Amino acid sequence: MPKSNAQRVLVVGAGIAGLTTAWWLERAGWDVLVVERAPAVRTGGYLIDFFGPGHEVARRMGLLPALELRRAPITSVTSVDARGRRRSEISAAAYETVADGVISLLRGDLAAALRADVRAAFRFGTSVSAVEDGRVTFSDGSTGEFDLVVGADGVHSRVRELVFGPSSSFVRYLGHHTAAFSFDDPELSARIGYRYQMLTVPHRMIGCYAVRDGAMAALMLHRSRSQALPADLVGALRERFGDLGWVAPSLLSLLPADIYYDEVSQVDMPSWHRGKVVLVGDACGAVSLFAGHGASLAMAGAFVLAEELAAGPDGAFSRYQARMKPAVSHTQEFGRRFIGWMAPSSRLRISLRDMAFRLSERPVVRRLIRGSVMPDVDGVLTRS
Ligand SMILES: Cc1cc2nc3c(=O)[nH]c(=O)nc-3n(C[C@H](O)[C@H](O)[C@H](O)COP(=O)(O)OP(=O)(O)OC[C@H]3O[C@@H](n4cnc5c(N)ncnc54)[C@H](O)[C@@H]3O)c2cc1C
């Protein structure tokens, strides 16, 4: 229970960063209100590899057993050709030695595990329409006064737009669109199994894997010169991927109504705070799916913000940004370099990527990969 004289914080967005912020701030005695645009905490989504500093934050929150229960039992990442034949493979065991302690799980499962342990007040189906320092007008016309406003509303943050200016000033488009969705199909699910299988042709990638109880999840990625999203998502996906072979026709015939579809972008802004408003997670530092680590950094950012606020409000936002931003920038840089691995631009590059997969079974190569492609972000949790 918050103390009656507790400071009031509004957290906008019940995603990974928002829920983690709520968790730490309510335990530090803040009176927390979370508003979320969606009617409930978003479920499902796409598979994320969760490791690094966010994993350590989850350990400190006592959340790891709940995450282990939700772990997707992926046994390998397999590159296949247009007839579904294996081209190359990296085993989960080899991958785990590159990414220490990695837990693969659906983003929605991470959010659900966080939500289960947050006691704050929630208002779903609600956004913000004006933020003037601590004075907030909500989308339903009601207002509130807060000591702190945390914008945790993701890569297209409304709080950022209202307080810092248009997204176009901060968003770096990485030249790709992505779609993710899940659906039930026991037959296809059994056929694909727990191998994350992916088919890559120049500038396009399609991946899928069984999740549980006959369900499947799929990810599509393609290059697009235009940052604007198509009006007809289903039509656009059919046009882009219809010729790909393998399970593409099945996936395209099973597209559900609630597809996640977005541009692939990073967010880079000089300051993450203004007055009583501070941003956390993708809202201020999206690294993109090319980098991975976004959920991990979102949790680390929420933890560091709460830790700095507890250490003393004066300068807390600056200290938070000083600790987090170098790791975020470093990971963004890594993400931009990784585009060519995840969405190779030519058949030669696809072959090179597949060769790296095959070689990754060798410990010496794994050590090299770990040193050269994994961003070093572990230092952020240490207060100097
Ligand atoms: C395909 C894909 C694969 C990825 N793979 C990985 C991976 O392997 N590892 C990893 O660590 N990360 C990965 N990420 C990144 C990761 O999902 C994000 O970085 C992470 O979810 C960011 O957390 P967040 O809380 O800042 O934003 P989000 O998780 O996006 O949450 C934002 C929340 O704010 C809500 N919201 C939005 N606008 C408003 C508004 N106006 N008012 C109120 N609420 C609002 C949204 O509904 C949502 O609930 C991947 C991302 C994608 C797209």
Side-chain angles (χ1 to χ4, degrees), residues 16-17 36-37 42 46 49 107 127 153 260 282 293-295:
I16 310 305
E36 163 61 47
R37 188 176 54 181
R42 282 165 40 214
Y46 39 84
D49 287 334
R107 178 208 163 278
S127 182
D153 46 347
Y260 164 89
D282 275 8
H293 282 88

Side-chain angles (χ1 to χ4, degrees), residues 4 118 241 319 345 347:
S4 57
V118 173
F241 294 97
R319 295 194 304 274
S345 57
R347 295 202 177 278

Side-chain angles (χ1 to χ4, degrees), residues 8 57 63 76 121 125 139 146 167 193 209 273 308 336 364 383:
R8 296 191 71 208
V57 171
L63 211 69
S76 66
S139 50
F146 298 88
S167 277
Y209 39 96
H273 55 93
E308 290 301 342
R336 292 195 293 277
V364 62
R383 239 186 141 243

Side-chain angles (χ1 to χ4, degrees), residues 11-19 35-38 40-42 46-51 95 107 110 126-128 152-159 178-180 219 260 262-263 280-283 285-299 342:
V11 177
V12 183
I16 310 305
L19 292 167
V35 294
E36 163 61 47
R37 188 176 54 181
V41 169
R42 282 165 40 214
Y46 39 84
L47 196 72
I48 62 171
D49 287 334
F50 183 64
F51 60 113
Y95 185 54
R107 178 208 163 278
L110 174 57
T126 306
S127 182
V128 288
D153 46 347
V155 65
H156 302 295
S157 171
R158 178 87 174 121
V159 175
T178 188
L219 178 76
Y260 164 89
D262 205 0
E263 65 186 65
V280 66
D282 275 8
V287 293
S288 86
L289 69 92
F290 289 122
H293 282 88
S296 177
L297 286 168
M299 286 185 69
M342 205 164 163

